[in-house]
PDB file of all heavy atoms in Angstrom:
ATOM      1  N   SER A 258      -8.841 -35.086 -68.087  1.00 92.00           N
ATOM      2  CA  SER A 258      -9.626 -36.200 -68.646  1.00 92.00           C
ATOM      3  C   SER A 258     -10.188 -35.607 -70.014  1.00 92.00           C
ATOM      4  O   SER A 258     -10.155 -36.419 -71.012  1.00 92.00           O
ATOM      5  CB  SER A 258     -10.710 -36.664 -67.684  1.00 92.00           C
ATOM      6  OG  SER A 258     -11.548 -37.581 -68.391  1.00 92.00           O
ATOM      7  N   ARG A 259     -10.752 -34.506 -69.985  1.00 93.00           N
ATOM      8  CA  ARG A 259     -11.395 -33.865 -71.217  1.00 93.00           C
ATOM      9  C   ARG A 259     -10.428 -33.751 -72.374  1.00 93.00           C
ATOM     10  O   ARG A 259     -10.728 -34.036 -73.615  1.00 93.00           O
ATOM     11  CB  ARG A 259     -11.990 -32.494 -70.874  1.00 93.00           C
ATOM     12  CG  ARG A 259     -12.598 -31.799 -72.040  1.00 93.00           C
ATOM     13  CD  ARG A 259     -13.842 -32.502 -72.555  1.00 93.00           C
ATOM     14  NE  ARG A 259     -14.496 -31.751 -73.692  1.00 93.00           N
ATOM     15  CZ  ARG A 259     -15.491 -32.181 -74.197  1.00 93.00           C
ATOM     16  NH1 ARG A 259     -16.136 -33.277 -73.881  1.00 93.00           N
ATOM     17  NH2 ARG A 259     -16.049 -31.457 -75.234  1.00 93.00           N
ATOM     18  N   ARG A 260      -9.128 -33.435 -71.946  1.00 92.00           N
ATOM     19  CA  ARG A 260      -8.136 -33.164 -73.033  1.00 92.00           C
ATOM     20  C   ARG A 260      -7.341 -34.372 -73.418  1.00 92.00           C
ATOM     21  O   ARG A 260      -6.386 -34.381 -74.119  1.00 92.00           O
ATOM     22  CB  ARG A 260      -7.269 -31.935 -72.661  1.00 92.00           C
ATOM     23  CG  ARG A 260      -7.989 -30.665 -72.711  1.00 92.00           C
ATOM     24  CD  ARG A 260      -7.045 -29.429 -72.499  1.00 92.00           C
ATOM     25  NE  ARG A 260      -7.785 -28.247 -72.847  1.00 92.00           N
ATOM     26  CZ  ARG A 260      -7.214 -27.008 -72.664  1.00 92.00           C
ATOM     27  NH1 ARG A 260      -5.908 -26.862 -72.540  1.00 92.00           N
ATOM     28  NH2 ARG A 260      -7.977 -25.979 -72.974  1.00 92.00           N
ATOM     29  N   GLY A 261      -7.622 -35.463 -72.669  1.00 92.00           N
ATOM     30  CA  GLY A 261      -6.852 -36.738 -72.966  1.00 92.00           C
ATOM     31  C   GLY A 261      -5.462 -36.753 -72.615  1.00 92.00           C
ATOM     32  O   GLY A 261      -4.725 -37.421 -73.339  1.00 92.00           O
ATOM     33  N   LEU A 262      -5.044 -36.013 -71.572  1.00 90.00           N
ATOM     34  CA  LEU A 262      -3.680 -36.094 -71.113  1.00 90.00           C
ATOM     35  C   LEU A 262      -3.258 -37.370 -70.425  1.00 90.00           C
ATOM     36  O   LEU A 262      -4.042 -37.843 -69.629  1.00 90.00           O
ATOM     37  CB  LEU A 262      -3.466 -34.825 -70.266  1.00 90.00           C
ATOM     38  CG  LEU A 262      -3.685 -33.443 -70.783  1.00 90.00           C
ATOM     39  CD1 LEU A 262      -3.464 -32.385 -69.748  1.00 90.00           C
ATOM     40  CD2 LEU A 262      -2.698 -33.236 -72.041  1.00 90.00           C
ATOM     41  N   LYS A 263      -2.138 -37.851 -70.713  1.00 91.00           N
ATOM     42  CA  LYS A 263      -1.553 -39.083 -70.062  1.00 91.00           C
ATOM     43  C   LYS A 263      -1.013 -38.741 -68.729  1.00 91.00           C
ATOM     44  O   LYS A 263      -0.650 -37.532 -68.512  1.00 91.00           O
ATOM     45  CB  LYS A 263      -0.586 -39.722 -71.000  1.00 91.00           C
ATOM     46  CG  LYS A 263      -1.041 -40.110 -72.302  1.00 91.00           C
ATOM     47  CD  LYS A 263       0.087 -40.790 -73.226  1.00 91.00           C
ATOM     48  CE  LYS A 263      -0.431 -41.206 -74.533  1.00 91.00           C
ATOM     49  NZ  LYS A 263       0.552 -41.696 -75.413  1.00 91.00           N
ATOM     50  N   PRO A 264      -0.840 -39.659 -67.833  1.00 88.00           N
ATOM     51  CA  PRO A 264      -0.320 -39.342 -66.426  1.00 88.00           C
ATOM     52  C   PRO A 264       1.048 -38.651 -66.523  1.00 88.00           C
ATOM     53  O   PRO A 264       1.340 -37.930 -65.662  1.00 88.00           O
ATOM     54  CB  PRO A 264      -0.289 -40.716 -65.831  1.00 88.00           C
ATOM     55  CG  PRO A 264      -1.318 -41.535 -66.549  1.00 88.00           C
ATOM     56  CD  PRO A 264      -1.309 -41.038 -67.960  1.00 88.00           C
ATOM     57  N   THR A 265       1.777 -38.929 -67.510  1.00 89.00           N
ATOM     58  CA  THR A 265       3.195 -38.428 -67.623  1.00 89.00           C
ATOM     59  C   THR A 265       3.183 -37.004 -68.220  1.00 89.00           C
ATOM     60  O   THR A 265       4.274 -36.396 -68.162  1.00 89.00           O
ATOM     61  CB  THR A 265       4.092 -39.301 -68.441  1.00 89.00           C
ATOM     62  OG1 THR A 265       3.556 -39.536 -69.764  1.00 89.00           O
ATOM     63  CG2 THR A 265       4.278 -40.736 -67.680  1.00 89.00           C
ATOM     64  N   GLN A 266       2.090 -36.642 -68.811  1.00 89.00           N
ATOM     65  CA  GLN A 266       2.097 -35.356 -69.446  1.00 89.00           C
ATOM     66  C   GLN A 266       1.853 -34.185 -68.558  1.00 89.00           C
ATOM     67  O   GLN A 266       1.037 -34.350 -67.555  1.00 89.00           O
ATOM     68  CB  GLN A 266       1.141 -35.374 -70.608  1.00 89.00           C
ATOM     69  CG  GLN A 266       1.550 -36.246 -71.857  1.00 89.00           C
ATOM     70  CD  GLN A 266       0.524 -36.200 -72.913  1.00 89.00           C
ATOM     71  OE1 GLN A 266      -0.739 -36.624 -72.739  1.00 89.00           O
ATOM     72  NE2 GLN A 266       0.829 -35.793 -73.994  1.00 89.00           N
ATOM     73  N   ASP A 267       2.396 -33.001 -68.758  1.00 88.00           N
ATOM     74  CA  ASP A 267       2.090 -31.846 -67.909  1.00 88.00           C
ATOM     75  C   ASP A 267       0.678 -31.301 -68.305  1.00 88.00           C
ATOM     76  O   ASP A 267       0.150 -31.602 -69.432  1.00 88.00           O
ATOM     77  CB  ASP A 267       3.184 -30.774 -68.198  1.00 88.00           C
ATOM     78  CG  ASP A 267       4.557 -31.144 -67.629  1.00 88.00           C
ATOM     79  OD1 ASP A 267       4.503 -32.018 -66.667  1.00 88.00           O
ATOM     80  OD2 ASP A 267       5.467 -30.706 -68.038  1.00 88.00           O
ATOM     81  N   ASN A 268       0.142 -30.482 -67.414  1.00 89.00           N
ATOM     82  CA  ASN A 268      -1.178 -29.828 -67.754  1.00 89.00           C
ATOM     83  C   ASN A 268      -0.888 -28.877 -68.781  1.00 89.00           C
ATOM     84  O   ASN A 268       0.165 -28.199 -68.959  1.00 89.00           O
ATOM     85  CB  ASN A 268      -1.614 -29.075 -66.571  1.00 89.00           C
ATOM     86  CG  ASN A 268      -2.086 -29.877 -65.317  1.00 89.00           C
ATOM     87  OD1 ASN A 268      -2.308 -31.122 -65.627  1.00 89.00           O
ATOM     88  ND2 ASN A 268      -2.166 -29.360 -64.157  1.00 89.00           N
ATOM     89  N   ASN A 269      -1.875 -28.775 -69.906  1.00 89.00           N
ATOM     90  CA  ASN A 269      -1.707 -27.725 -70.915  1.00 89.00           C
ATOM     91  C   ASN A 269      -2.682 -26.712 -70.729  1.00 89.00           C
ATOM     92  O   ASN A 269      -3.365 -26.167 -71.614  1.00 89.00           O
ATOM     93  CB  ASN A 269      -1.804 -28.487 -72.210  1.00 89.00           C
ATOM     94  CG  ASN A 269      -3.298 -29.085 -72.390  1.00 89.00           C
ATOM     95  OD1 ASN A 269      -4.084 -29.153 -71.395  1.00 89.00           O
ATOM     96  ND2 ASN A 269      -3.389 -29.666 -73.490  1.00 89.00           N
ATOM     97  N   PHE A 270      -3.030 -26.404 -69.375  1.00 91.00           N
ATOM     98  CA  PHE A 270      -3.837 -25.298 -68.994  1.00 91.00           C
ATOM     99  C   PHE A 270      -3.351 -24.859 -67.675  1.00 91.00           C
ATOM    100  O   PHE A 270      -2.536 -25.506 -66.988  1.00 91.00           O
ATOM    101  CB  PHE A 270      -5.308 -25.769 -68.717  1.00 91.00           C
ATOM    102  CG  PHE A 270      -5.458 -26.931 -67.892  1.00 91.00           C
ATOM    103  CD1 PHE A 270      -5.754 -26.816 -66.477  1.00 91.00           C
ATOM    104  CD2 PHE A 270      -5.388 -28.285 -68.408  1.00 91.00           C
ATOM    105  CE1 PHE A 270      -5.787 -27.848 -65.701  1.00 91.00           C
ATOM    106  CE2 PHE A 270      -5.424 -29.349 -67.541  1.00 91.00           C
ATOM    107  CZ  PHE A 270      -5.634 -29.203 -66.123  1.00 91.00           C
ATOM    108  N   SER A 271      -3.705 -23.600 -67.287  1.00 90.00           N
ATOM    109  CA  SER A 271      -3.362 -23.176 -65.907  1.00 90.00           C
ATOM    110  C   SER A 271      -4.510 -22.754 -65.078  1.00 90.00           C
ATOM    111  O   SER A 271      -5.576 -22.501 -65.520  1.00 90.00           O
ATOM    112  CB  SER A 271      -2.661 -21.749 -66.189  1.00 90.00           C
ATOM    113  OG  SER A 271      -1.307 -21.981 -66.833  1.00 90.00           O
ATOM    114  N   ILE A 272      -4.351 -23.020 -63.700  1.00 89.00           N
ATOM    115  CA  ILE A 272      -5.328 -22.742 -62.728  1.00 89.00           C
ATOM    116  C   ILE A 272      -4.856 -21.493 -61.869  1.00 89.00           C
ATOM    117  O   ILE A 272      -3.822 -21.618 -61.242  1.00 89.00           O
ATOM    118  CB  ILE A 272      -5.697 -23.867 -61.866  1.00 89.00           C
ATOM    119  CG1 ILE A 272      -6.341 -24.964 -62.762  1.00 89.00           C
ATOM    120  CG2 ILE A 272      -6.668 -23.571 -60.786  1.00 89.00           C
ATOM    121  CD1 ILE A 272      -6.875 -26.299 -62.017  1.00 89.00           C
ATOM    122  N   ASN A 273      -5.624 -20.439 -61.932  1.00 86.00           N
ATOM    123  CA  ASN A 273      -5.133 -19.195 -61.335  1.00 86.00           C
ATOM    124  C   ASN A 273      -6.099 -18.730 -60.178  1.00 86.00           C
ATOM    125  O   ASN A 273      -7.276 -19.151 -60.284  1.00 86.00           O
ATOM    126  CB  ASN A 273      -4.949 -18.025 -62.327  1.00 86.00           C
ATOM    127  CG  ASN A 273      -3.882 -18.470 -63.461  1.00 86.00           C
ATOM    128  OD1 ASN A 273      -2.770 -18.638 -63.184  1.00 86.00           O
ATOM    129  ND2 ASN A 273      -4.512 -18.520 -64.604  1.00 86.00           N
ATOM    130  N   ARG A 274      -5.554 -17.994 -59.330  1.00 81.00           N
ATOM    131  CA  ARG A 274      -6.371 -17.457 -58.220  1.00 81.00           C
ATOM    132  C   ARG A 274      -6.034 -15.967 -58.148  1.00 81.00           C
ATOM    133  O   ARG A 274      -4.885 -15.456 -58.430  1.00 81.00           O
ATOM    134  CB  ARG A 274      -6.163 -18.091 -56.905  1.00 81.00           C
ATOM    135  CG  ARG A 274      -6.314 -19.605 -56.987  1.00 81.00           C
ATOM    136  CD  ARG A 274      -6.243 -20.157 -55.425  1.00 81.00           C
ATOM    137  NE  ARG A 274      -6.004 -21.638 -55.490  1.00 81.00           N
ATOM    138  CZ  ARG A 274      -6.007 -22.324 -54.443  1.00 81.00           C
ATOM    139  NH1 ARG A 274      -6.163 -21.720 -53.286  1.00 81.00           N
ATOM    140  NH2 ARG A 274      -5.799 -23.631 -54.454  1.00 81.00           N
ATOM    141  N   LEU A 275      -6.913 -15.223 -57.528  1.00 75.00           N
ATOM    142  CA  LEU A 275      -6.607 -13.763 -57.238  1.00 75.00           C
ATOM    143  C   LEU A 275      -5.812 -13.688 -56.070  1.00 75.00           C
ATOM    144  O   LEU A 275      -5.302 -12.566 -55.693  1.00 75.00           O
ATOM    145  CB  LEU A 275      -7.962 -13.063 -57.032  1.00 75.00           C
ATOM    146  CG  LEU A 275      -8.776 -12.757 -58.284  1.00 75.00           C
ATOM    147  CD1 LEU A 275     -10.149 -12.162 -57.978  1.00 75.00           C
ATOM    148  CD2 LEU A 275      -8.111 -11.844 -59.261  1.00 75.00           C
ATOM    149  N   ASP A 276      -5.533 -14.760 -55.308  1.00 66.00           N
ATOM    150  CA  ASP A 276      -4.593 -14.722 -54.194  1.00 66.00           C
ATOM    151  C   ASP A 276      -3.218 -14.236 -54.688  1.00 66.00           C
ATOM    152  O   ASP A 276      -2.518 -13.567 -53.814  1.00 66.00           O
ATOM    153  CB  ASP A 276      -4.441 -16.186 -53.635  1.00 66.00           C
ATOM    154  CG  ASP A 276      -5.707 -16.730 -53.063  1.00 66.00           C
ATOM    155  OD1 ASP A 276      -6.665 -16.008 -53.182  1.00 66.00           O
ATOM    156  OD2 ASP A 276      -5.711 -17.796 -52.553  1.00 66.00           O
ATOM    157  N   GLY A 277      -2.830 -14.477 -55.837  1.00 62.00           N
ATOM    158  CA  GLY A 277      -1.502 -14.053 -56.323  1.00 62.00           C
ATOM    159  C   GLY A 277      -1.539 -12.637 -56.401  1.00 62.00           C
ATOM    160  O   GLY A 277      -0.450 -11.872 -56.010  1.00 62.00           O
ATOM    161  N   ALA A 278      -2.540 -11.918 -56.808  1.00 62.00           N
ATOM    162  CA  ALA A 278      -2.669 -10.459 -56.734  1.00 62.00           C
ATOM    163  C   ALA A 278      -2.647  -9.898 -55.410  1.00 62.00           C
ATOM    164  O   ALA A 278      -1.943  -8.910 -55.157  1.00 62.00           O
ATOM    165  CB  ALA A 278      -3.964  -9.978 -57.528  1.00 62.00           C
ATOM    166  N   VAL A 279      -3.277 -10.499 -54.501  1.00 65.00           N
ATOM    167  CA  VAL A 279      -3.367 -10.119 -53.140  1.00 65.00           C
ATOM    168  C   VAL A 279      -1.804 -10.153 -52.482  1.00 65.00           C
ATOM    169  O   VAL A 279      -1.427  -9.253 -51.829  1.00 65.00           O
ATOM    170  CB  VAL A 279      -4.294 -10.962 -52.188  1.00 65.00           C
ATOM    171  CG1 VAL A 279      -4.079 -10.630 -50.750  1.00 65.00           C
ATOM    172  CG2 VAL A 279      -5.659 -10.818 -52.654  1.00 65.00           C
ATOM    173  N   LYS A 280      -1.222 -11.283 -52.735  1.00 67.00           N
ATOM    174  CA  LYS A 280       0.150 -11.374 -52.233  1.00 67.00           C
ATOM    175  C   LYS A 280       1.093 -10.405 -52.783  1.00 67.00           C
ATOM    176  O   LYS A 280       2.064  -9.911 -52.257  1.00 67.00           O
ATOM    177  CB  LYS A 280       0.745 -12.904 -52.506  1.00 67.00           C
ATOM    178  CG  LYS A 280      -0.029 -14.001 -51.749  1.00 67.00           C
ATOM    179  CD  LYS A 280       0.448 -15.308 -52.014  1.00 67.00           C
ATOM    180  CE  LYS A 280      -0.345 -16.431 -51.213  1.00 67.00           C
ATOM    181  NZ  LYS A 280       0.089 -17.769 -51.634  1.00 67.00           N
ATOM    182  N   PHE A 281       0.858 -10.178 -54.101  1.00 67.00           N
ATOM    183  CA  PHE A 281       1.738  -9.201 -54.833  1.00 67.00           C
ATOM    184  C   PHE A 281       1.637  -7.793 -54.076  1.00 67.00           C
ATOM    185  O   PHE A 281       2.596  -7.117 -53.902  1.00 67.00           O
ATOM    186  CB  PHE A 281       1.378  -9.066 -56.250  1.00 67.00           C
ATOM    187  CG  PHE A 281       2.043  -7.949 -56.990  1.00 67.00           C
ATOM    188  CD1 PHE A 281       3.208  -8.002 -57.457  1.00 67.00           C
ATOM    189  CD2 PHE A 281       1.285  -6.736 -57.359  1.00 67.00           C
ATOM    190  CE1 PHE A 281       3.934  -6.948 -58.062  1.00 67.00           C
ATOM    191  CE2 PHE A 281       1.870  -5.737 -58.008  1.00 67.00           C
ATOM    192  CZ  PHE A 281       3.134  -5.776 -58.407  1.00 67.00           C
ATOM    193  N   PHE A 282       0.371  -7.349 -53.863  1.00 70.00           N
ATOM    194  CA  PHE A 282       0.225  -5.969 -53.307  1.00 70.00           C
ATOM    195  C   PHE A 282       0.532  -6.046 -51.749  1.00 70.00           C
ATOM    196  O   PHE A 282       1.079  -5.063 -51.298  1.00 70.00           O
ATOM    197  CB  PHE A 282      -1.262  -5.609 -53.378  1.00 70.00           C
ATOM    198  CG  PHE A 282      -1.735  -5.226 -54.755  1.00 70.00           C
ATOM    199  CD1 PHE A 282      -2.475  -5.938 -55.536  1.00 70.00           C
ATOM    200  CD2 PHE A 282      -1.205  -4.003 -55.282  1.00 70.00           C
ATOM    201  CE1 PHE A 282      -2.916  -5.507 -56.818  1.00 70.00           C
ATOM    202  CE2 PHE A 282      -1.548  -3.564 -56.449  1.00 70.00           C
ATOM    203  CZ  PHE A 282      -2.401  -4.362 -57.254  1.00 70.00           C
ATOM    204  N   GLU A 283       0.440  -7.285 -51.138  1.00 69.00           N
ATOM    205  CA  GLU A 283       0.870  -7.217 -49.783  1.00 69.00           C
ATOM    206  C   GLU A 283       2.395  -7.034 -49.622  1.00 69.00           C
ATOM    207  O   GLU A 283       2.855  -6.413 -48.655  1.00 69.00           O
ATOM    208  CB  GLU A 283       0.556  -8.618 -49.169  1.00 69.00           C
ATOM    209  CG  GLU A 283      -0.924  -8.719 -48.709  1.00 69.00           C
ATOM    210  CD  GLU A 283      -1.296 -10.107 -48.113  1.00 69.00           C
ATOM    211  OE1 GLU A 283      -0.410 -11.024 -48.211  1.00 69.00           O
ATOM    212  OE2 GLU A 283      -2.318 -10.211 -47.472  1.00 69.00           O
ATOM    213  N   SER A 284       3.162  -7.555 -50.634  1.00 71.00           N
ATOM    214  CA  SER A 284       4.598  -7.414 -50.566  1.00 71.00           C
ATOM    215  C   SER A 284       4.939  -5.920 -50.782  1.00 71.00           C
ATOM    216  O   SER A 284       5.928  -5.409 -50.142  1.00 71.00           O
ATOM    217  CB  SER A 284       5.249  -8.203 -51.649  1.00 71.00           C
ATOM    218  OG  SER A 284       4.925  -7.800 -52.921  1.00 71.00           O
ATOM    219  N   ILE A 285       4.190  -5.218 -51.668  1.00 73.00           N
ATOM    220  CA  ILE A 285       4.430  -3.795 -51.787  1.00 73.00           C
ATOM    221  C   ILE A 285       4.086  -3.045 -50.567  1.00 73.00           C
ATOM    222  O   ILE A 285       4.844  -2.185 -50.239  1.00 73.00           O
ATOM    223  CB  ILE A 285       3.530  -3.314 -53.021  1.00 73.00           C
ATOM    224  CG1 ILE A 285       4.086  -3.984 -54.343  1.00 73.00           C
ATOM    225  CG2 ILE A 285       3.578  -1.825 -53.135  1.00 73.00           C
ATOM    226  CD1 ILE A 285       3.246  -3.596 -55.586  1.00 73.00           C
TER     227      ILE A 285
END
Side-chain angles (χ1 to χ4, degrees):
S258 174
R259 177 67 180 182
R260 291 189 170 181
L262 296 176
K263 297 177 181 178
T265 55
Q266 290 179 298
D267 293 334
N268 292 340
N269 59 359
F270 56 90
S271 294
I272 296 183
N273 302 294
R274 306 185 195 184
L275 288 172
D276 298 1
V279 172
K280 290 177 182 177
F281 171 75
F282 284 109
E283 281 181 346
S284 64
I285 293 176

